[in-house]
Amino acid sequence: MKPLSAFHTPKSVAVIGASNDPEKIGGRPIRYMREFGFTGAIYPVNPGRAEVQGLPAYPSVRDLPEVPDVVIVAVAGANAVEQVVICAEIGVSGCIVMASGFGETGDAEGLEAQERMLSAAPESGMRIVGPNSQGLANFANGAVLGFSTLFTEQPPLDGPVAIVSQSGAMCSVPYGMLREAGIGVRYAHGTGNDIDVSAAELALDIVADPDIQLLLLYLEDLKDPDSLALLAEAARKRDLPVIALKGGRSEAGQRAAASHTGALANEERVVDAFLKKHGIWRANSTRELVSATQLYLRARVPHGDRIAIVSNSGAVCVLTADAVDDYGLKLAEFAPATRGALGEVLPAFAAIDNPIDVTAALLTDSSLFGKVLPIVGADTAVHACIIGIPVAGRGYDVDRFADNIETFERDSGMPIVLVVPQSNIAEVFRERGLVVFADEATAVQALAQFLHHHQLMARSAGARHVPFTPQAIGKRMETVTLNEAQSLEVLQQIGIPVAQHVLVHDPSEAAAALAQLGGGRVVVKGCTSDTTHKSDLGLVRVGVDGPDEVAAVVREMFAIMEHHGLRNEGAIISQLVKGVHEGMLGGHVDPLFGPVVLLGAGGVYVEAMPDATVLIPPFTVDDALDALGQLRIAAVLDGVRGEAPVDVEAWAKAAVRLGDALVSDGSRIESLDINPLMLLERDGALQPTVQAVDGVVILREAPAGAK
């Protein structure tokens, strides 16, 4: 396939459906290329005109004096498909198809036309962006191959930010927000339906541009996760932050009927896990996509997330401290030397702890920021600083404040944000390039994103991606649900500890099984592959004691299975394991992302009150421990109110073993569900561990007679 660089640095561009009206879709790319400095050849294609916007026009792309690098297809319907076929035949490197009415409509006719368009490209190696594309724009060289009206409303300025969006509108909106804030944008791509070139592929080509310092993505689907993983890896190598906003939240892909894992590891959780694994920050709104841009472009890489707050208002100090807690940051604890130094420069009635209220004395002593900030910056416990100036103006030496804060930022090397609600005062700070917000919550949210994103990037530095082709397991594969005894055997093969158990096929075997388990109270369960919810049918009895009672319960299990028409595959007699807490562990093969692993609190309410997180294997024990630490149940795992601490590391190791098994060559596991996973007391004498007391495994297998 031909390289994507042609879309960014074309030497020649043809526009099929070129319009003499520079405000029409077929006219804007010509206008923009001429207006924004494109120096390559521009070839309007319009059989009805000899000239378009002062340029010679051609009746067909076949009539051009050369084969163009890129062709913009701005004609509709069947004509668009025909033109793409011709472009492939003559050897064009890339087509940008602006026409709509294809796969995005969801109707069979549109999908069929889209497939005809796509089938024209592979033999020649031509790449297709679109259809339904707003176009691509590179403002560094004027290759503005799109029709967005925002390029006239907010005139472009080349800069260090790139935007790649599957939606034209969600390319234009962040572009407009950034330009309104005075931030330059180099690339603004609205890719459309992505039938060939994906948004992630184009973004990967952009990552090679050394001038790009921030990459913003809008994704409506993630049908090309491998390219996104490659993009993330390339970005990490040059410490390039990537922020993604994902639309189209849905519950597609659940396997709730078969397992808790399928119900809880839904599409959104998997997307979150995938982005987190690869160091991509997920924004929740357009505002979050762009709000921290100035920090990414100006601030140096942070060393932690402990914050100092300095203001001339006690109320602002309180509100900012609340926001710091809301967004998961921490207030720095000043060293005694810091408090002592602050006490020497601040009025006696001022607070010398964090937050620092310099009080209204700032009105009469304009040097206070200049005195306080260097002291704060010298404290190694402080990683970033928020400065609130709610009221200033006449009587305040704002220029001196700005000088002092600019010097503090330069000398401390830490991220600094200001909260200045007065627009005219804020402009004084912005003119110096300082990062300014109008309110505390927005400022802290942006700072928290910046700090936590860099922590995420650092954690993902060693992320390893195992490529997965959607439906790689093959459409001819079927699934088979194992019974519990078979499932527990699979768990043991993976290396996950299971409760000691014996499978019996006749009540007369109960006494020997009980003796083999060492006696005592046991659990008796009917064993059948026809249902995964045995307790709902009365096929689980806990605390059965003595050989006679065990034999009686086995007979009862057999009777229940016969009553419900279930296959009788025996009864499991299992050691009664009492954990301090119950966890769960599961995995399945997502049809798009491949293997995923779920960890969470276990028990009968896992779906009603979910407390779970998803990881994309392969991952490390530290990754699993970090994920477990984010659960609500984490607060009690170390032991509270006299309870014993549990072996969390054993849980993490079991998760790693499961993840490794899922991504191993030849794995047949489609889904695996362990609930509960008993979390045992952490006690060296007892060999700290976890134990699976129940399991459901679904395997893939070829249908009978398949070759």
Side-chain angles (χ1 to χ4, degrees):
M1 304 303 288
K2 293 180 179 176
L4 299 182
S5 56
F7 289 114
H8 294 134
T9 56
K11 294 183 175 62
S12 55
V13 178
V15 181
I16 298 176
S19 173
N20 197 51
D21 185 344
E23 295 304 327
K24 289 189 174 179
I25 288 177
R28 280 189 183 151
I30 297 172
R31 171 194 169 184
Y32 287 159
M33 284 187 281
R34 301 181 75 188
E35 188 174 317
F36 299 142
F38 180 63
T39 59
I42 303 173
Y43 298 118
V45 176
N46 186 329
R49 301 187 65 93
E51 185 179 278
V52 170
Q53 296 187 43
L55 296 172
Y58 300 84
S60 166
V61 72
R62 294 186 189 276
D63 299 316
L64 300 178
E66 63 174 321
V67 176
D69 289 340
V70 175
V71 173
I72 298 171
V73 180
V75 293
N79 192 11
V81 177
E82 180 183 351
Q83 296 302 322
V84 170
V85 172
I86 293 172
C87 288
E89 290 174 352
I90 67 173
V92 170
S93 293
C95 267
I96 301 172
V97 184
M98 293 176 172
S100 56
F102 293 93
E104 76 279 3
T105 65
D107 65 65
E109 186 177 347
L111 289 167
E112 182 182 351
Q114 185 168 280
E115 284 302 311
R116 291 200 307 272
M117 182 185 296
L118 179 60
S119 65
E123 188 172 337
S124 69
M126 184 181 77
R127 306 306 305 273
I128 300 173
V129 171
N132 193 35
S133 170
Q134 181 180 266
L136 314 180
N138 179 353
F139 295 111
N141 59 15
V144 183
L145 317 179
F147 62 87
S148 173
T149 59
L150 218 49
F151 298 160
T152 56
E153 299 298 318
Q154 294 285 350
L157 174 70
D158 185 22
V161 181
I163 304 168
V164 181
S165 168
Q166 291 175 325
S167 157
M170 285 308 300
C171 169
S172 295
V173 170
Y175 165 87
M177 295 170 72
L178 292 172
R179 289 298 302 114
E180 190 171 324
I183 298 170
V185 176
R186 173 162 295 183
Y187 301 99
H189 294 348
T191 64
N193 293 5
D194 288 12
I195 64 168
D196 174 29
V197 179
S198 69
E201 283 185 279
L202 276 174
L204 177 58
D205 195 66
I206 286 172
V207 169
D209 186 335
D211 293 330
I212 295 302
Q213 299 176 39
L214 179 65
L215 175 60
L216 306 180
L217 304 176
Y218 174 77
L219 304 170
E220 290 183 344
D221 63 60
L222 286 177
K223 60 187 177 185
D224 187 17
D226 289 343
S227 290
L228 190 59
L230 290 173
L231 155 68
E233 181 182 4
R236 288 195 305 269
K237 287 180 179 176
R238 50 169 298 224
D239 294 325
L240 172 66
V242 181
I243 306 172
L245 176 60
K246 164 86 169 51
R249 298 179 180 178
S250 74
E251 298 298 318
Q254 292 189 23
R255 294 178 175 82
S259 71
H260 300 302
T261 302
L264 297 177
N266 58 42
E267 181 178 327
E268 283 306 296
R269 287 180 183 269
V270 176
V271 168
D272 279 341
F274 184 88
L275 295 178
K276 186 179 292 186
K277 175 185 176 76
H278 295 289
I280 298 173
W281 184 266
R282 185 173 186 180
N284 292 313
S285 66
T286 309
R287 181 181 65 83
E288 286 187 21
L289 185 67
V290 302
S291 62
T293 297
Q294 289 176 297
L295 271 168
Y296 284 102
L297 300 181
R298 182 176 177 90
R300 282 171 266 187
V301 176
H303 300 294
D305 60 359
R306 298 192 179 274
I307 312 301
I309 301 169
V310 181
S311 179
N312 61 331
S313 162
V316 168
C317 286
V318 171
L319 292 172
T320 306
D322 288 344
V324 164
D325 185 66
D326 290 341
Y327 286 101
L329 299 175
K330 304 176 183 68
L331 284 181
E333 185 174 338
F334 291 154
T338 301
R339 293 196 296 272
L342 290 171
E344 293 179 6
V345 300
L346 285 170
F349 50 86
I352 60 171
D353 241 325
N354 192 15
I356 302 170
D357 178 8
V358 299
T359 74
L362 185 65
L363 180 61
T364 56
D365 185 357
S366 298
S367 69
L368 281 179
F369 279 140
K371 294 173 181 176
V372 167
L373 294 176
I375 297 172
V376 171
D379 193 320
T380 57
V382 178
H383 304 129
C385 185
I386 302 170
I387 302 169
I389 306 177
V391 179
R394 181 173 297 181
Y396 289 90
D397 192 346
V398 177
D399 285 327
R400 186 172 184 181
F401 300 163
D403 288 339
N404 289 336
I405 294 170
E406 185 179 16
T407 300
F408 169 55
E409 182 192 53
R410 183 190 65 240
D411 293 347
S412 69
M414 68 175 62
I416 309 296
V417 298
L418 288 92
V419 181
V420 185
Q422 293 170 272
S423 58
N424 61 320
I425 305 301
E427 192 58 32
V428 176
F429 298 101
R430 289 195 178 101
E431 286 174 354
R432 288 169 165 79
L434 295 166
V435 181
V436 186
F437 296 92
D439 65 273
E440 302 82 14
T442 305
V444 176
Q445 178 273 319
L447 181 60
Q449 174 181 323
F450 176 73
L451 298 177
H452 290 157
H453 189 183
H454 277 283
Q455 291 175 344
L456 179 64
M457 290 169 65
R459 286 198 302 271
S460 68
R464 186 165 65 90
H465 176 66
V466 176
F468 174 77
T469 303
Q471 302 302 330
I473 58 178
K475 293 182 180 178
R476 291 177 59 80
M477 300 296 280
E478 296 179 349
T479 60
V480 56
T481 301
L482 303 184
N483 64 39
E484 184 178 342
Q486 295 166 329
S487 296
L488 293 175
E489 183 178 351
V490 171
L491 299 187
Q492 288 177 308
Q493 291 169 354
I494 291 172
I496 297 174
V498 302
Q500 189 177 355
H501 62 281
V502 178
L503 177 66
V504 301
H505 296 281
D506 190 275
S508 63
E509 300 171 6
L514 188 61
Q516 185 177 336
L517 295 174
R521 292 182 179 274
V522 294
V523 179
V524 181
K525 294 180 278 188
C527 186
T528 177
S529 54
D530 288 338
T531 181
T532 58
H533 300 295
K534 296 185 294 294
S535 59
D536 294 346
L537 301 177
L539 288 172
V540 179
R541 289 280 298 275
V542 179
V544 184
D545 191 14
D548 292 339
E549 186 180 356
V550 172
V553 173
V554 170
R555 281 191 291 271
E556 182 183 340
M557 295 296 152
F558 290 173
I560 292 173
M561 287 188 281
E562 181 179 6
H563 173 74
H564 289 285
L566 305 176
R567 278 175 289 187
N568 182 345
E569 296 169 290
I572 294 174
I573 303 172
S574 175
Q575 250 184 358
L576 179 59
V577 179
K578 287 287 188 180
V580 180
H581 297 286
E582 294 183 355
M584 72 168 296
L585 177 62
H588 73 178
V589 179
D590 182 272
L592 182 62
F593 293 93
V596 301
V597 170
L598 182 85
L599 304 97
V604 296
Y605 302 121
V606 293
E607 292 175 35
M609 296 186 294
D611 179 20
T613 187
V614 172
L615 289 170
I616 306 290
F619 51 84
T620 66
V621 171
D622 285 342
D623 293 330
L625 288 171
D626 180 68
L628 291 170
Q630 306 304 311
L631 299 174
R632 293 191 299 275
I633 196 177
V636 301
L637 297 179
D638 275 338
V640 294
R641 295 185 177 273
E643 288 181 341
V646 301
D647 190 0
V648 180
E649 187 170 349
W651 191 3
K653 288 178 178 177
V656 170
R657 293 188 189 107
L658 173 55
D660 290 345
L662 289 171
V663 298
S664 65
D665 291 339
S667 172
R668 295 172 53 217
I669 298 173
E670 170 72 13
S671 179
L672 184 152
D673 196 44
I674 305 170
N675 181 40
L677 180 74
M678 290 300 183
L679 310 179
L680 305 180
E681 181 178 351
R682 188 169 63 219
D683 185 338
L686 297 177
Q687 296 299 313
T689 189
V690 294
Q691 284 192 19
V693 298
D694 192 7
V696 177
V697 175
I698 300 174
L699 298 180
R700 297 184 297 272
E701 64 175 20
K707 295 183 179 179

